[in-house]
Amino acid sequence: MLHHLLFIVLMLFSAPVSATEARWQLVKEKDGILVYTSDSESSALKSIKVTAVMEGTPEKLWAVVQDVNTQKEWVYATKSSKLLKRTSPGELLYYVETEVPWPVSNRDIPIRMKMTQNKADQTLVINTVGLPKAVPVNDGKVRVPHLVARWEVKSVGKDKIKVDYFLDLNPGGAIPAWIANLFVTKGPFETFTNLRELLKK
């Protein structure tokens, strides 16, 4: 989930990120994908919200998002991702490394993901939270100290879903403004563009 230095999005065991907790400003709108930002209390990096209507079902989106070993194919700047542990059909722990342009070091973070589905109203929520101490820090990489993300998915017609994604993250260390801007605007848009194409298959 649009989710890791930025996207991955990325089990919530802390307060959820939601549209009611922030004043969102639209920073990009293209091809039906809307990207918003808001000031974050945990980082100088902006919090992100992405909204789009796509082909697919909540179940199909979950199938894509939980297949963490393939996130490199659609989540922006993902260098590698791998499953560490699946605790239940709707909960797992995985690791992701995000590629950051030189001269900044790559970021990495173990992430816990948890899905909750309500079939009665055809909604699905995926909460993710970074667990920076879950695995040892890798040499040459900067461990992300804070990551919280949330997917809110709802059926809005036959094989149509509305997806709202929220991300609040502190990437750790210093990030030049031009790199931060890539992950705030380009990253979310490209991730959702790739996700939309996957859901069509």
Side-chain angles (χ1 to χ4, degrees):
M1 226 3 145
L2 302 200
H3 5 326
H4 29 303
L5 181 56
L6 285 115
F7 259 33
I8 357 245
V9 201
L10 307 174
M11 286 120 289
L12 195 54
F13 294 98
S14 58
V17 183
S18 74
T20 60
E21 296 173 354
R23 294 181 179 178
W24 297 104
Q25 293 185 330
L26 182 65
V27 294
K28 187 177 183 68
E29 181 177 4
K30 185 178 179 181
D31 299 333
I33 299 172
L34 286 73
V35 181
Y36 302 83
T37 63
S38 174
D39 291 336
S40 170
E41 294 183 359
S42 63
S43 171
L45 198 69
K46 297 281 189 178
S47 295
I48 296 167
K49 172 187 172 184
V50 190
T51 298
V53 174
M54 306 180 178
E55 293 181 21
T57 63
E59 293 81 6
K60 192 169 184 179
L61 182 136
W62 170 240
V64 171
V65 173
Q66 71 163 323
D67 187 8
V68 294
N69 292 333
T70 64
Q71 282 194 359
K72 184 177 179 179
E73 299 175 10
W74 65 279
V75 178
Y76 179 77
T78 297
K79 181 175 182 179
S80 66
S81 56
K82 62 181 179 180
L83 179 67
L84 298 177
K85 182 180 180 181
R86 184 176 293 278
T87 53
S88 74
E91 185 172 350
L92 54 91
L93 176 69
Y94 71 105
Y95 167 89
V96 63
E97 178 184 350
T98 299
E99 193 166 23
V100 186
W102 185 88
V104 179
S105 298
N106 286 357
R107 264 52 180 176
D108 74 344
I109 183 72
I111 298 171
R112 179 167 291 146
M113 177 186 295
K114 186 174 182 179
M115 181 273 291
T116 303
Q117 185 175 18
N118 186 329
K119 291 187 177 181
D121 62 8
Q122 296 183 299
T123 61
L124 180 146
V125 174
I126 304 169
N127 286 314
T128 65
V129 62
L131 301 179
K133 297 181 180 180
V135 300
V137 176
N138 291 304
D139 292 339
K141 301 179 183 65
V142 174
R143 177 59 48 87
V144 172
H146 169 81
L147 182 151
V148 175
R150 180 178 176 93
W151 298 81
E152 297 178 356
V153 186
K154 181 175 179 62
S155 293
V156 291
K158 182 175 174 57
D159 293 327
K160 290 282 186 181
I161 53 175
K162 180 176 182 291
V163 182
D164 292 305
Y165 175 83
F166 305 91
L167 174 68
D168 184 68
L169 140 125
N170 182 343
I175 299 286
W178 69 271
I179 293 179
N181 287 337
L182 286 178
F183 285 98
V184 167
T185 56
K186 182 179 181 181
F189 178 78
E190 289 198 3
T191 296
F192 261 60
T193 298
N194 295 337
L195 174 60
R196 183 162 57 189
E197 292 305 309
L198 280 176
L199 290 173
K200 289 179 180 179
K201 297 180 179 178

